[in-house]
Amino acid sequence: MNHASLRYCPDLLQYARRETREVMVGNVGIGAHHPIRIQSMITSDTRDTPASVKQVLDLAEAGCEIVRITAQTRIYAANLENIAREVRAAGCNVPLVADIHFKPDAAMEAAKWVEKVRVNPGNYADKKKFEVREYTDAEYEEELERIREEFTPLVHLCKDLGRAMRIGTNHGSLSDRIMNRYGDTPLGMVESAFEFARIARDHDYHNFVFSMKASNPKVMIEAYRLLVARLKAEGADWNYPIHLGVTEAGDGEDGRIKSAIGIGSLLADGIGDTIRVSLTEDAVHEIPVARAMARPFNEKKDAPATVAEFTPSYDPFSYERRRSSVMTLMGHEFGGDKTVRVFTTQERWNALAHKIASMGDFKPEIILEKSGVIEIDPRDEAAVSHLNDLTEPHLVTVKDGIGLEVIHAFRQLAFEVDPRHPILLKDTLEPPSGDTDFLEALLPAARNIGSLLCDGIGDAILVRGETAPGQSLRLAYNILQASGNRIFKTDYVACPSCGRTLFNLQSTTQKIRAATGHLKGVRIAVMGCIVNGPGEMADADFGYVGGAPNKINLYVGKTPVKFNIPEDEAVQRLIDLIKEHDKWVDAPEPAAAEA
């Protein structure tokens, strides 16, 4: 598909929030002039009214503005009546959302009781068979007609009752029809959502938002950008708000970094009206992270509306690394298609010198002060042309303290400077003087560096927002891992728990991590149930999926290979499966403790 004429934001070099219509979810407005709204999802069984009510109230108290509850069948959906009644009786007005996947009758029941219904176009009225077959135009139309019949009653009901809807595509659960025509692509995700949006619009129903979630931040960023560009191309009245999320981000630092790369880089381009950070932890832990992500953008003033004169030097809808020349510093090659290197300052190098040999994968590689890097303001035409006149490639970065946002500054540098000059990315252009809070340092670093890496910009990185030397290096490496630039440890795709989950996700993920955390470059998916399971594991080598209560199915790629394994044997059976496929190595002996 030719993206040349598509624009997803008016100016890649200054911030302006995308203008949307208002969508009301109960008493909470999304889009238009409203702040970016914070969402999460409860994890208890929807049939357990007291537990569900308690979790909704806990989330609301933590600052969550919209709460989602799974409703996998009509019986589950019917209990939303009791949950909603008890939540309101407790004096809490937070809007409730029913999460619907396979059952149109569950959606029809849920819409009676909650303020919003989330449908997934990939599996609403579609059975996912993972079939490879060619669709003729007539067969394709016939399927669309069947969907129209299944979906129209829900549109009418939501319109009559004043309910909102989210048309939420998941990279992992596209219908066979979409997969066969568009493949497992951002374009397929957008098209899948548009099929449903067109039906809603045909009935003059507009109270809906879109989402395009994926577990891979690169895919997620491309899909949302393409969605926004396509909405713009469809016409001014396709200005629907956007719900942002990275599915199955995982837990701990990695989950926060992956979410900050995907969600943060879109917010930085003015895209996104409501967000959910999916962590494999108690849902209340998602709220402070989401609030910290949204805060800088809720406080931001838009730049005056202009359309940039710059043509980007890269395609924002498909990943390709900027073609710089290869250089060597302190024995490390970088640039071109070489590894993205990790810089540190001389002062931090000195602080770590006594233990660099034992730092394993988190070693500093190049010292900033010894690199000969040229620092310029990318708006300074004389400095840019001087650099471009040099015969040899030279490492270049943006000068500190020039009053530009990090992402915009490095984009402009990449547009202006000859591609042969490798670029050193920095997480901040205003390094802090005192100690920093780790979350406050982690989120902007992941957003700024991760966003640029996902656009193919950057040959080396320097993290200075986190002032602890060892921690800043760990953060740098974890950003490289989460953005897919440097895989040095096992990569986990783990879903947040929800009422569909068939085992304890948190303890299971930790058990699997303990057993497999030393396997470099192996991707393991840990999925609570079958909804996103096979599809979100598209990128994973192995999958551990809840098949039935206390029973686990194991996958290789998208293919289930072992069924109904008792939960207490499943981690060992996963290890056996990894060994069968020659991806296993024994964990290294722990290093002797430092004297």
Side-chain angles (χ1 to χ4, degrees), residues 222-240:
E222 286 169 17
Y224 275 108
R225 285 176 175 178
L226 191 58
L227 168 71
V228 167
R230 286 284 308 276
L231 288 171
K232 201 167 177 313
E234 288 287 330
D237 70 327
W238 281 72
N239 56 346
Y240 299 99

Side-chain angles (χ1 to χ4, degrees), residues 95-166:
L96 302 177
V97 184
D99 199 50
I100 304 291
H101 283 277
F102 298 97
K103 306 280 187 189
D105 63 336
M108 293 295 287
E109 178 65 30
K112 296 180 202 165
W113 314 117
V114 297
E115 285 77 16
K116 183 179 172 193
V117 176
R118 180 271 170 112
V119 294
N120 178 347
N123 57 31
Y124 187 94
D126 257 325
K127 291 288 171 281
K128 184 110 184 77
K129 302 191 184 72
F130 292 103
E131 281 181 351
V132 180
R133 53 171 278 212
E134 289 302 312
Y135 281 80
T136 64
D137 287 351
E139 286 171 323
Y140 203 90
E141 279 309 312
E142 197 179 305
E143 285 222 359
L144 283 181
E145 200 43 54
R146 186 174 59 76
I147 284 167
R148 183 174 290 275
E149 276 170 34
E150 290 270 24
F151 186 52
T152 297
L154 181 64
V155 171
H156 283 307
L157 185 60
C158 287
K159 194 176 166 186
D160 293 344
L161 297 176
R163 306 305 193 206
M165 195 184 285
R166 165 154 71 101

Side-chain angles (χ1 to χ4, degrees), residues 17-18 36 242-244 266-267 270-275:
R17 186 164 162 196
R18 173 176 170 264
I36 294 156
I242 306 286
H243 167 118
L244 297 182
L266 289 157
L267 290 176
I271 295 169
D273 305 285
T274 176
I275 64 175

